[in-house]
């Protein structure tokens, strides 16, 4: 039909290989995927939910899908997603998000891992799936994800994810687990700057930076090139003061870059002291950082503060609004693929600027209002 709407999902996955044998194909692959995305956007959290949504909306779905055998069952949907090539599925997602977003120049991209807690299968000896994702903090969108191989860890997954992304001009932040020269090399190779949190997994670097700042404070910063910034946040019965320092001390940076540590293009070191006052008392925390940034204190502070957006605005929302930690999908590659599915739905909702409201509220709206759901799925198609 000439007047059928072209949905972004159909364009996104037009070249996705179908893993099924020809004789088993009662439903077209794009129909299955489109129904799954529509259902998840509309509030479905399990394959049974997706099946029920599809059956309830079959007449509407038939206005833009072929549906030669109606809407598929939850068993069919689960089998398809268990067998899809997760790398190919992720590549389709990445191509789409890279076409709808401009380059990330100057934006903070936070990279962190998240375990899908109930994706384990003790009977088969399968551990829970660990996904590493990249979060665009200002745009509040997921740029991509990478599953951690069963025989590996997040440290190797992060450079693999970075290699898939467009990062030219961005500032990439990682937590202490990923403070690795290989990660820093991967970030610089993509034309981005890094901000790495330092902890005991890099003892020589941490000791050098910690000693440097201790001596600078003891000498009241005399003769030390540095910048300083203080911020305060109050609310919900707490007062939080953050003090930021950066230094571009040439001798230290030469030691970290060329002498023994071999960090690529070190531009500054940083220290952040956080003092949190509540009714129950006062807590203090000091953290140290290594960065390829030039030491501009405002840029450094923004990068450090923005890193936690991946926890508060991605991981928390996926758990609360999409019930990700409760998901029991675990057959084949289903857990990894449904992780991409949720992030597609998450991004489609986040890209909507037509109305305000939480992700949860917009999912409800999409489930109730087919016009709004179609709006989420069509305006950004390229």
């Amino acid at each position: 039909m000439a007047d059928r709407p072209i949905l972004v999902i159909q364009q996104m996955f037009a070249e996705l290989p179908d893993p099924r044998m020809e004789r088993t194909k009662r439903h077209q692959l794009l129909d299955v995927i489109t129904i799954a995305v529509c259902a998840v956007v509309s509030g479905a959290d399990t394959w049974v939910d997706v099946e029920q949504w599809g059956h309830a909306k079959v007449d509407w779905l038939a206005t833009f899908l072929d549906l030669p055998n109606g809407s598929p069952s939850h068993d069919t949907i689960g089998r398809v997603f268990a067998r899809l090539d997760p790398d190919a599925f992720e590549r389709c997602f990445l191509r789409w998000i890279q076409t709808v977003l401009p380059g990330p120049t100057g934006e903070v991209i936070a990279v962190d891992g998240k375990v899908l807690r109930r994706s384990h299968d003790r009977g088969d000896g399968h551990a829970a799936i660990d996904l590493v994702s990249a979060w665009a903090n200002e745009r509040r969108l997921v740029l991509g994800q990478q599953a951690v191989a069963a025989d590996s860890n997040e440290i190797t997954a992060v450079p693999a994810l970075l290699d898939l992304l467009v990062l030219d001009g961005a500032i990439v932040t990682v937590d202490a687990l990923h403070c690795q020269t290989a990660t820093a090399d991967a970030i610089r190779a993509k034309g981005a700057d890094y901000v790495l949190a330092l902890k005991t997994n890099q003892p020589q670097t941490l000791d050098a930076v910690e000693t440097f700042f201790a001596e600078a404070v003891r000498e009241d910063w005399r003769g030390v090139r540095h910048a300083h910034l203080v911020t305060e946040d109050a609310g919900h019965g707490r007062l939080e003061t953050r003090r930021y320092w950066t230094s571009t001390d040439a001798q230290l940076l030469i030691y970290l870059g060329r002498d023994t540590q071999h960090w690529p293009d070190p531009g500054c070191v940083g220290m952040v002291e956080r003092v949190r006052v509540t009714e129950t008392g006062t807590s203090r925390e000091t953290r140290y950082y290594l960065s390829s940034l030039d030491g501009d204190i405002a840029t450094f502070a923004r990068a450090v503060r923005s890193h936690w957006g991946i926890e508060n605005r991605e991981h928390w929302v996926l758990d609360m609004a999409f019930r990700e930690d409760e998901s029991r999908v675990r057959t084949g590659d289903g857990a990894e693929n449904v992780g991409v599915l949720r992030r597609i739905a998450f991004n489609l909702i986040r890209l909507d600027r037509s109305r305000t409201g939480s992700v949860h509220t917009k999912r409800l709206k999409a489930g109730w209002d087919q016009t709004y759901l179609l709006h989420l799925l069509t305006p950004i198609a390229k």
Side-chain angles (χ1 to χ4, degrees):
M1 294 173 62
D3 58 349
R4 282 184 174 186
I6 303 298
L7 303 190
V8 66
I9 309 107
Q10 293 166 296
Q11 293 186 330
M12 193 189 312
F13 296 110
E15 299 178 4
L16 182 66
D18 193 330
R20 300 170 297 172
M21 293 184 291
E22 197 63 37
R23 62 181 176 80
T24 68
K25 298 179 182 179
R26 296 190 67 250
H27 302 276
Q28 295 178 12
L29 180 63
L30 276 178
D31 286 358
V32 176
I33 293 174
T34 301
I35 290 169
V37 173
C38 290
V40 172
V41 169
S42 301
D45 293 318
T46 68
W47 294 142
V48 173
D49 293 346
V50 173
E51 174 191 346
Q52 294 299 313
W53 185 91
H55 289 166
K57 300 289 186 179
V58 68
D59 292 338
W60 178 71
L61 290 167
T63 64
F64 54 86
L65 298 179
D66 292 334
L67 301 180
N69 290 291
S71 188
S73 69
H74 68 275
D75 286 334
T76 296
I77 298 166
R79 282 195 297 269
V80 168
F81 276 89
R83 296 180 62 188
L84 282 175
D85 179 346
D87 292 332
F89 197 50
E90 169 69 12
R91 283 195 299 271
C92 290
F93 169 67
L94 285 168
R95 281 196 298 268
W96 165 64
I97 200 64
Q98 289 168 6
T99 62
V100 299
L101 292 179
T105 300
E107 184 166 12
V108 177
I109 307 299
V111 177
D112 197 14
K114 183 180 187 297
V115 176
L116 308 185
R117 299 189 183 282
R118 299 194 68 191
S119 62
H120 66 277
D121 189 337
R122 290 193 181 93
D124 289 341
H126 292 158
I129 298 293
D130 190 357
L131 297 178
V132 174
S133 61
W135 169 257
N137 190 70
E138 280 78 10
R139 289 172 288 186
R140 301 189 180 187
L141 295 169
V142 182
L143 298 184
Q145 75 169 35
Q146 180 79 24
V148 177
D151 59 350
S152 186
N153 54 48
E154 287 188 17
I155 292 173
T156 58
V158 168
L161 172 61
L162 294 172
D163 188 53
L164 300 173
L165 304 178
V166 176
L167 296 172
D168 191 46
I171 301 169
V172 179
T173 64
V174 299
D175 64 16
L177 173 65
H178 305 297
C179 183
Q180 309 287 333
T181 54
T183 301
D185 285 333
I187 294 169
R188 295 300 287 157
K190 300 294 289 190
D193 282 298
Y194 61 80
V195 176
L196 309 177
L198 293 171
K199 283 195 177 178
T200 53
N201 62 329
Q202 294 291 343
Q204 285 183 285
T205 303
L206 174 62
D207 182 65
V209 174
E210 191 173 16
T211 300
F212 169 81
F213 277 112
E215 292 178 355
V217 170
R218 186 165 55 249
E219 296 298 323
D220 198 25
W221 300 95
R222 284 190 296 272
V224 178
R225 182 183 300 176
H226 73 285
H228 183 220
L229 177 69
V230 179
T231 64
E232 286 189 350
D233 290 311
H236 305 290
R238 58 143 179 95
L239 172 65
E240 188 168 285
T241 302
R242 291 174 182 253
R243 296 181 174 87
Y244 301 87
W245 290 269
T246 59
S247 178
T248 56
D249 180 81
Q251 186 174 354
L252 176 61
L253 295 180
I254 289 172
Y255 167 75
L256 295 174
R258 294 202 300 266
D259 282 1
T260 60
Q261 301 303 292
H262 305 297
W263 293 102
D265 306 321
C268 72
V269 291
M271 179 172 71
V272 180
E273 179 185 78
R274 187 182 73 167
V275 180
R276 184 183 179 93
V277 180
T278 66
E279 293 180 354
T280 59
T282 300
S283 62
R284 297 176 182 272
E285 180 184 45
T286 302
R287 294 192 176 191
Y288 301 93
Y289 295 85
L290 174 63
S291 176
S292 60
L293 292 170
D294 63 7
D296 179 79
I297 192 66
T299 303
F300 170 75
R302 177 170 65 90
V304 170
R305 189 67 184 270
S306 296
H307 180 75
W308 302 111
I310 194 170
E311 288 285 349
N312 300 331
R313 295 173 182 153
E314 181 195 344
H315 295 171
W316 188 87
V317 172
L318 287 169
D319 284 340
M320 295 297 104
F322 289 88
R323 299 169 61 191
E324 182 164 76
D325 266 355
E326 299 177 33
S327 175
R328 294 295 289 161
V329 175
R330 56 189 179 180
T331 303
D333 291 310
E336 184 176 348
N337 287 326
V338 80
V340 174
L341 186 62
R342 292 190 197 96
R343 285 153 180 81
I344 292 169
F346 179 95
N347 278 359
L348 287 169
I349 292 169
R350 285 292 196 191
L351 284 165
D352 173 47
R353 300 291 187 265
S354 68
R355 65 189 67 233
T356 59
S358 67
V359 170
H360 173 72
T361 298
K362 289 185 175 184
R363 289 185 85 196
L364 291 176
K365 175 69 174 175
W368 297 329
D369 185 345
Q370 291 170 182
T371 301
Y372 178 61
L373 175 58
L374 198 61
H375 163 75
L376 294 178
L377 300 172
T378 55
I380 55 176
K382 297 294 184 182

